[in-house]
Amino acid sequence: MMSDIYLKFSQMFDGFLMETCVDSVESAINAERGGAGRIELCSNLLEGGTTPSTGLLQIVKENVKIPVYVMIRPRGGDFLYSDWEVEVMKKDIDQMKRHGADGLVFGALTEDGRVDSELCMELMATSRPLPVTFHRAFDMVHDPAVALEVLVSLGFERILTSGCDSSALEGLPVIKRLVEQAKGRIIIMPGGGITERNLQRILEGSGAQEFHCSARSSKDSTMKYRNANVRMGGSLCVPEYEIKVADVVKVRTLNAIAKNTL
């Protein structure tokens, strides 16, 4: 009981919160052990995250106590969705709510790079009463300042962003402006390429109270027989016998850096 109290305290000190994106039960457990305050649960992190299975959500929820926000994204690629994809998203939202999601993560854009307010409003209605994060579709918008105001009006809890650049470090000036513009009406959460080497600079330079990272390391597969001639992926050559998992030590290190910074 005392260890649970200590864990919750260490995850929420001074309003700081670290969110870790994970795609497996092992990574979720490691994230919590390392001190993450929230999990973003996805599949297919190679494509930036897609909707995970309800089976993965259920087993993760059985093994961690921290909140689990579930990605709702029917495919990789852009954020302009067909009617069929919208129906899939709504069904997935219903399923994730039914199986214990603590929050949801999604985003949608129009063809001209604006927040799809109409679709987001529909998805928000389906999501109630769960809180929702607008994901890095935000980094593809035409005008981030305008998009922020739209998302505030729609009732999103937070925005995950790299500052509309290749990484949160590169997008730091934009992130800082967004934090200042938000004025506490919506949480601005930097994410994208955050590591032990740049976290302090990002937190100090942005004024953000939350941040998002994967904190992953590679581990070797335990397979003894290996067929080097076959790959299960497509054109992207991901190592077949290498598994990426959240690293407890990396999560703890990032937490320590943030604690010292804030």
Side-chain angles (χ1 to χ4, degrees):
M1 180 66 176
M2 286 302 294
S3 62
D4 287 346
I5 293 171
Y6 173 77
L7 179 64
K8 288 189 181 223
F9 175 78
S10 67
Q11 291 157 349
M12 297 294 292
F13 56 83
D14 295 334
F16 152 77
L17 190 142
M18 173 183 180
E19 178 181 272
T20 305
C21 56
V22 307
D23 60 359
S24 68
V25 179
E26 181 181 2
S27 286
I29 292 170
N30 286 351
E32 181 175 64
R33 285 178 178 168
R38 183 174 60 241
I39 285 168
E40 180 193 79
L41 186 65
C42 311
S43 286
N44 202 13
L45 284 174
L46 187 63
E47 288 194 275
T50 56
T51 307
S53 70
T54 54
L56 178 58
L57 172 61
Q58 286 177 277
I59 304 305
V60 166
K61 288 290 294 181
E62 289 173 9
N63 285 276
V64 302
K65 295 182 174 66
I66 58 178
V68 178
Y69 278 42
V70 179
M71 173 73 77
I72 303 295
R73 188 181 178 213
R75 56 164 172 77
D78 65 34
F79 304 100
L80 182 65
Y81 296 114
S82 69
D83 291 343
W84 288 337
E85 289 169 334
V86 170
E87 291 306 307
V88 170
M89 294 171 81
K90 290 178 179 177
K91 289 289 186 185
D92 282 338
I93 289 170
D94 285 336
Q95 289 294 316
M96 297 308 170
K97 286 170 65 178
R98 193 171 297 125
H99 289 93
D102 298 294
L104 299 166
V105 182
F106 56 72
L109 304 180
T110 62
E111 63 183 11
D112 58 352
R114 304 181 199 285
V115 173
D116 190 334
S117 300
E118 185 177 341
L119 174 52
C120 284
M121 200 177 300
E122 291 179 33
L123 296 177
M124 291 289 281
T126 307
S127 302
R128 291 191 187 100
L130 297 185
V132 182
T133 298
F134 193 91
H135 59 40
R136 287 189 61 200
F138 186 87
D139 292 324
M140 301 298 189
V141 299
H142 176 71
D143 187 327
V146 171
L148 183 150
E149 296 302 330
V150 171
L151 296 175
V152 168
S153 69
L154 289 170
F156 280 86
E157 182 180 62
R158 72 177 48 74
I159 297 168
L160 170 61
T161 179
S162 64
C164 304
D165 216 319
S166 57
S167 70
L169 186 59
E170 295 295 327
L172 188 55
V174 172
I175 295 172
K176 183 176 188 295
R177 289 199 298 271
L178 291 169
V179 171
E180 292 169 351
Q181 179 185 344
K183 296 178 181 175
R185 296 173 297 157
I186 191 169
I187 298 164
I188 305 300
M189 179 169 63
I194 292 180
T195 69
E196 304 94 316
R197 294 185 299 276
N198 60 30
L199 176 59
Q200 183 174 354
R201 183 174 167 190
I202 290 168
L203 291 178
E204 289 179 342
S206 68
Q209 296 294 300
E210 299 187 1
F211 73 96
H212 171 100
C213 64
S214 62
R216 295 195 296 169
S217 292
S218 298
K219 72 172 189 177
D220 194 41
S221 166
T222 55
M223 285 291 296
K224 290 185 171 58
Y225 172 74
R226 303 185 179 195
N227 185 346
N229 298 317
V230 179
R231 292 187 181 275
M232 294 292 110
S235 58
L236 290 173
C237 292
V238 180
E240 203 67 42
Y241 297 102
E242 182 179 284
I243 301 167
K244 296 278 192 180
V245 293
D247 186 316
V248 175
V249 174
K250 283 192 174 184
V251 176
R252 284 179 179 154
T253 301
L254 287 161
N255 261 313
I257 292 168
K259 184 174 182 179
N260 290 334
T261 301
L262 298 175

